[in-house]
Amino acid sequence: MTQEYIISLKNLCKSYNTKENLTVEALKDINLDVKENDFICIVGPSGCGKSTMLRIIAGLETATEGKIIYEGRELQKPTKDIGMVFQDYSLLPWRTVLDNIALGLEFKGVSKNKRLDIASRYLELIDMTRFGKAYPYELSGGMQQRVAIARALANDPHVLLMDEPFGALDAHTRILLQKELLRIWERNKKTIMFVTHSVDESVYLADKVIVMSRNPGEIKEIINIDMERPRDRGDIKYATMTSKILKMLEVS
Amino acid sequence: MSKAIRNTITSFIVPILFIFTWAIFATKLNNPMILPQINQVLNNFVHATDDFIGLGSIPRNIIVSLIRVLLGYCVGVIIALPLGIFMGYKESISNLFSKFINTLRPVPALSWVPLVLAWFGLASLATFFGVPYGPKQVFFDNFKFAMIFIIGMGTFFPVVSGAAFGVKNVPKTLIESAKVLGASNRDIFFKILIPAAGPNIINGLRGGLGSAWGCLVAAEMLPGSLSGLGYLITHAYELARTDLVVTGIICIGVVGALLDYIFVVVEKRRFSWLGR
Ligand SMILES: Nc1ncnc2c1ncn2[C@@H]1O[C@H](COP(=O)(O)OP(=O)(O)OP(=O)(O)O)[C@@H](O)[C@H]1O
Ligand SMILES: [Mg+2]
């Protein structure tokens, strides 16, 4: 089956009713087509509906209007093909690293030996073989986020949604994890939708940057980043891209 | 000196000071009605297996009390634990029960006695199972439904609150991250909610056991009670045997602390992942 797009958002709208009986248009008329294996970054001011968009695609929230086409079919409920990584890692604190990575496989009913086998492979992928038996509280934030990424990947999703996954990390760890994520993405070929507050991060990672504006939450601009990877932050083109996106965010 | 040894020594300072003060006052007052001598009380423990004031030995009284508490505790837990878990799980169930439970919570167990007696009378495990008269009957007659009810009431509130609070306060992102990994509702309940609420549930169970043990004296003041630590205290008081009263108090305290210690061990073993 050949599809041009793996995910298409069609006229997606989401409004919330607040306690004061006001209507917040978190998303208004979002149309977006995502090609398979694309790395998409979404930037925009706080409250413009970035999280809401990912949460609807993940099936954690339902759209008020519009629909999501996934692999040619309308998406109705959460599917294991779409994984998500949260900003706060949300590992299960009572499980070891290995058992955390194996969680999705356990839900799928994969036998114990097999799932530990697969989990160990992903542990290797994130370069944390020594920590299989550790508990989350024994890990740094960066390590916990790597485990969360491995946990999502172990389920072998086609699409990986990431909501500010590196937002709570220091600049150094952040850059390390960006490289690591690119390495994993190039090796495993996933479609990634990545929300970030950092324009630099979006230019470093993305094939396409979606710039959003708020009140109502709309897509303002879609920018293609045609630069070879690994990208050089000192490159003049890199700097131009970054300032271009920053300017757009300023006026929104 | 290692930290463990230092901690152990520290924990003995206050009890030793207490015993000293007791000894001084007991000698000064020289009135066993007000404060018994330490050696009198010690003597009771040395002769623990003797028959005291016609109520049997100390170990026997401890065992009777312990069984009463555990029976009442089990009944309380069997009702409170699932109820608490479901109250934490579904807001509608919580709305249904929480006002009612919060109204009953402050009522002391003792105030139920008249009603409970009217409901259950002197019915016991012996009458319920129709144990024929004999030593067995005497033993099983110790476990009156009225007592079990009072102790169960004491157990109920801490357990229900701990479970409801624990399940309700499981971080939403844990549940959501499980959902996107493909968890069914059943998975979420058993693999996320229950283990995540575990520490609070155990805390409730611990409070419940403490409260159950605390209700013991009240339960054993019920008519028809003829043994147990609570009854030993009441009866010793009537006979002006304050040394036995103190003996009973010490037993209640020590057994209660040992029961509590079980939970300390469970928490250490099972909840090391809390990283405290
Ligand atoms: N459950 C909810 N109830 C009511 N309003 C909500 C709810 N969730 C989100 N909103 C509103 O929807 C809008 C978009 O929220 P969203 O969390 O998607 O923003 P965001 O772009 O992810 O912001 P941030 O960058 O701060 O994470 C906000 O105005 C927010 O107040
Ligand atoms: Mg957000």
Side-chain angles (χ1 to χ4, degrees):
Chain A
M1 197 162 55
T2 51
Q3 248 105 40
E4 208 181 339
Y5 301 114
I6 184 164
I7 285 191
S8 296
L9 312 183
K10 305 267 188 215
N11 303 347
L12 210 61
C13 296
K14 174 76 186 178
S15 42
Y16 289 107
N17 289 317
T18 62
K19 288 194 191 88
E20 299 84 38
N21 253 333
L22 297 170
T23 308
V24 179
E25 281 189 281
L27 292 176
K28 192 185 173 194
D29 253 331
I30 300 287
N31 286 289
L32 180 66
D33 296 315
V34 181
K35 281 215 285 282
E36 192 153 6
N37 302 337
D38 255 4
F39 201 129
I40 305 280
C41 276
I42 301 158
V43 296
S46 184
C48 69
K50 305 182 293 294
S51 298
T52 306
M53 185 180 346
L54 291 201
R55 291 170 58 80
I56 293 174
I57 300 172
L60 293 173
E61 212 100 47
T62 48
T64 325
E65 264 174 67
K67 56 187 174 184
I68 299 165
I69 310 290
Y70 170 73
E71 289 189 332
R73 274 198 236 130
E74 188 172 346
L75 199 61
Q76 305 278 18
K77 52 180 200 289
T79 152
K80 282 163 264 176
D81 289 350
I82 299 180
M84 185 153 174
V85 175
F86 300 81
Q87 181 175 3
D88 68 353
Y89 328 133
S90 48
L91 301 176
L92 304 185
W94 58 91
R95 284 182 173 236
T96 62
V97 164
L98 209 56
D99 284 338
N100 259 292
I101 298 178
L103 188 64
L105 300 165
E106 194 175 321
F107 294 149
K108 272 189 191 167
V110 177
S111 74
K112 184 161 184 163
N113 283 334
K114 195 156 173 224
R115 64 178 188 249
L116 288 182
D117 219 49
I118 298 172
S120 319
R121 280 216 314 275
Y122 283 93
L123 197 62
E124 226 177 285
L125 184 74
I126 55 167
D127 212 9
M128 280 184 54
T129 359
R130 275 174 45 229
F131 295 93
K133 293 220 154 51
Y135 284 88
Y137 78 91
E138 298 171 293
L139 307 178
S140 70
M143 288 156 101
Q144 290 190 49
Q145 193 55 293
R146 267 145 72 193
V147 175
I149 292 171
R151 177 177 71 178
L153 289 174
N155 244 15
D156 200 21
H158 298 176
V159 179
L160 190 57
L161 308 171
M162 306 180 86
D163 193 356
E164 294 185 51
F166 305 152
L169 305 176
D170 65 89
H172 178 72
T173 313
R174 198 168 175 144
I175 287 172
L176 276 179
L177 284 197
Q178 289 167 1
K179 286 190 178 146
E180 202 164 307
L181 180 63
L182 282 180
R183 177 174 63 83
I184 291 170
W185 170 69
E186 269 156 16
R187 199 151 94 188
N188 293 275
K189 278 305 165 196
K190 306 272 174 210
T191 309
I192 296 184
M193 295 181 75
F194 188 111
V195 167
T196 175
H197 268 131
S198 156
V199 173
D200 169 76
E201 187 165 70
S202 70
V203 176
Y204 187 75
L205 295 173
D207 295 315
K208 269 183 194 166
V209 178
I210 315 286
V211 183
M212 293 182 67
S213 58
R214 75 179 146 193
N215 289 332
E218 285 174 314
I219 293 181
K220 199 172 172 192
E221 192 87 56
I222 298 178
I223 295 158
N224 288 307
I225 315 273
D226 295 316
M227 289 164 70
E228 285 292 304
R229 291 192 183 84
R231 291 174 183 161
D232 177 5
R233 286 189 157 88
D235 193 330
I236 198 101
K237 205 169 163 196
Y238 192 97
T240 326
M241 276 295 175
T242 311
S243 62
K244 184 174 158 193
I245 297 172
L246 276 172
K247 281 232 174 60
M248 282 176 190
L249 288 174
E250 260 167 40
V251 288
S252 68
Chain B
M1 207 172 2
S2 87
K3 204 176 156 203
I5 297 174
R6 223 174 24 217
N7 284 348
T8 316
I9 292 175
T10 314
S11 67
F12 276 109
I13 292 176
V14 173
I16 288 172
L17 280 180
F18 180 79
I19 289 171
F20 259 104
T21 323
W22 172 13
I24 290 166
F25 274 94
T27 323
K28 276 236 167 101
L29 290 169
N30 197 18
N31 182 349
M33 284 283 282
I34 299 174
L35 199 61
Q37 297 287 344
I38 289 186
N39 57 351
Q40 264 180 300
V41 175
L42 277 182
N43 200 43
N44 287 340
F45 280 109
V46 172
H47 299 103
T49 49
D50 289 4
D51 185 3
F52 287 92
I53 53 174
L55 296 179
S57 68
I58 289 176
R60 186 189 150 88
N61 281 296
I62 290 180
I63 287 173
V64 168
S65 288
L66 203 57
I67 294 176
R68 277 179 186 147
V69 167
L70 292 182
L71 281 173
Y73 183 66
C74 288
V75 172
V77 168
I78 286 170
I79 298 168
L81 192 58
L83 182 61
I85 288 172
F86 282 110
M87 281 173 68
Y89 186 56
K90 281 247 181 281
E91 209 185 333
S92 53
I93 298 182
S94 172
N95 290 339
L96 195 60
F97 287 101
S98 62
K99 289 233 166 48
F100 180 66
I101 288 176
N102 286 335
T103 313
L104 290 182
R105 187 196 311 274
V107 179
L110 204 57
S111 38
W112 291 97
V113 166
L115 276 180
V116 167
L117 277 180
W119 295 342
F120 298 107
L122 297 182
S124 67
L125 286 188
T127 50
F128 186 75
F129 289 112
V131 181
Y133 195 79
K136 239 179 159 176
Q137 190 267 348
V138 172
F139 183 71
F140 281 104
D141 202 39
N142 279 317
F143 311 115
K144 306 245 189 286
F145 289 131
M147 295 169 178
I148 295 174
F149 183 90
I150 296 282
I151 295 170
M153 284 289 262
T155 307
F156 180 84
F157 295 103
V159 175
V160 85
S161 311
F165 177 84
V167 174
K168 192 171 173 206
N169 286 286
V170 174
K172 218 174 122 202
T173 50
L174 286 190
I175 298 166
E176 292 187 334
S177 63
K179 267 190 196 156
V180 288
L181 287 170
S184 62
N185 283 338
R186 200 191 141 88
D187 286 331
I188 287 174
F189 189 81
F190 287 107
K191 292 185 175 161
I192 311 290
L193 287 175
I194 298 295
N200 280 316
I201 292 178
I202 293 292
N203 232 321
L205 288 173
R206 181 179 180 179
L209 189 55
S211 162
W213 192 244
C215 289
L216 178 71
V217 178
E220 290 184 343
M221 281 161 88
L222 295 178
S225 170
L226 285 174
S227 59
L229 292 171
Y231 185 66
L232 183 75
I233 290 174
T234 328
H235 197 52
Y237 163 72
E238 283 162 359
L239 299 177
R241 287 281 309 273
T242 45
D243 60 308
L244 259 187
V245 171
V246 173
T247 307
I249 289 173
I250 292 174
C251 289
I252 291 182
V254 170
V255 176
L258 286 177
L259 288 176
D260 192 61
Y261 189 70
I262 298 172
F263 284 97
V264 175
V265 173
V266 171
E267 280 175 4
K268 260 216 185 94
R269 288 244 175 104
R270 302 285 312 181
F271 301 130
S272 58
W273 52 265
L274 287 167
R276 292 203 280 254

